Amino acid sequence: MDAPRIPRIEAWLVPAAALLLAALFCRPLAVDPDNWGISDWDQHLFFHAVPRRTILHYGETPLWNPYNPGGLPDLGNPQSRILSPTFPLVLAFGVIHGVKIDIALHCAAAFVFTWLLARKLGSSRAASALAAGVYAFGGLAVYPVAFGMTWSLTIAYVPLLFLGFWKAVEDLRWAWLGGLALALILFGGGAYVLVIAGFFLGSWRRSRRSRRGARARSRRWRSSHCWGWASRR
């Protein structure tokens, strides 16, 4: 499928609009910047605070969390976000402020990646913007974060994964894009997201092959039927 060519001005306007919309959407987080939310916020802020202290106070690699019931792996925790490219925000701005900035940036990223995927699939600008807004600011991406589950921020990279997979089907040289998205999901603590997205991609690929096989069998059947009809004449 040939994607419409994206003008340069559009390539600049969409990320800028995404950042603006994300800032407006996440504005309630800045009303009380030192407060956190309900449910799992304390647990996942704890997962950010321990490696921050380990790095900044002790100058060590955060391999172990001695404060988690008797001690548990820190870097090896499937929900750890230490290797996330946005974790330096936590180091620079503190745990609460850094995580809140991280949330806004991931909302913007989800908007941009969904817009790119929609454009790749041939959607118009308006339809792509609608899809991006629904995905980035809808319940699927936002609801888990509202309850403090910061691993769900990696949902932002799922459209990038699909985009990379789709482009790799057309040209294997684009396989790196899907690999990058998988790495971002894994390093962002999105173990659940990784498994679900991988299962979906595998199912989609299998169904795509099945449809191709059905079309090939149909063509063979029509060819043999026509050949038999012509032979009888």
Side-chain angles (χ1 to χ4, degrees), residues 1-6 116-122 167 170:
M1 181 180 296
D2 294 329
R5 186 175 179 83
I6 300 174
L116 287 172
L117 177 61
R119 293 293 278 161
K120 170 62 181 174
L121 297 178
K167 290 177 74 68
E170 300 173 347

Side-chain angles (χ1 to χ4, degrees), residues 74-173:
D74 199 359
L75 185 61
N77 184 345
Q79 299 183 78
S80 168
R81 305 191 67 247
I82 299 170
L83 298 179
S84 170
T86 55
F87 187 75
L89 292 171
V90 174
L91 299 178
F93 298 103
V95 176
I96 299 177
H97 297 172
V99 168
K100 289 184 176 183
I101 296 172
D102 198 3
I103 291 171
L105 289 179
H106 274 84
C107 285
F111 186 96
V112 173
F113 295 149
T114 306
W115 181 85
L116 287 172
L117 177 61
R119 293 293 278 161
K120 170 62 181 174
L121 297 178
S123 300
S124 65
R125 293 185 180 91
S128 299
L130 177 62
V134 169
Y135 185 82
F137 308 119
L140 175 65
V142 174
Y143 186 80
V145 180
F147 283 83
M149 293 179 279
T150 54
W151 57 263
S152 64
L153 292 175
T154 57
I155 291 174
Y157 303 118
V158 172
L160 184 65
L161 173 62
F162 291 167
L163 177 62
F165 188 83
W166 192 282
K167 290 177 74 68
V169 169
E170 300 173 347
D171 185 349
L172 192 58
R173 290 176 296 180

Side-chain angles (χ1 to χ4, degrees), residues 153-231:
L153 292 175
T154 57
I155 291 174
Y157 303 118
V158 172
L160 184 65
L161 173 62
F162 291 167
L163 177 62
F165 188 83
W166 192 282
K167 290 177 74 68
V169 169
E170 300 173 347
D171 185 349
L172 192 58
R173 290 176 296 180
W174 281 98
W176 67 267
L177 185 60
L180 174 64
L182 286 172
L184 289 171
I185 293 173
L186 180 63
F187 293 160
Y192 307 124
V193 177
L194 187 68
V195 172
I196 295 170
F199 177 80
F200 180 86
L201 283 176
S203 301
W204 176 81
R205 182 60 175 165
R206 184 175 181 84
S207 66
R208 184 182 173 91
R209 285 184 174 180
S210 298
R211 288 196 299 271
R212 285 181 176 176
R215 286 196 295 267
R217 288 191 296 271
S218 177
R219 285 194 297 268
R220 287 196 297 269
W221 182 86
R222 288 197 300 267
S223 298
S224 61
H225 182 75
C226 292
W227 178 257
W229 180 80
S231 299

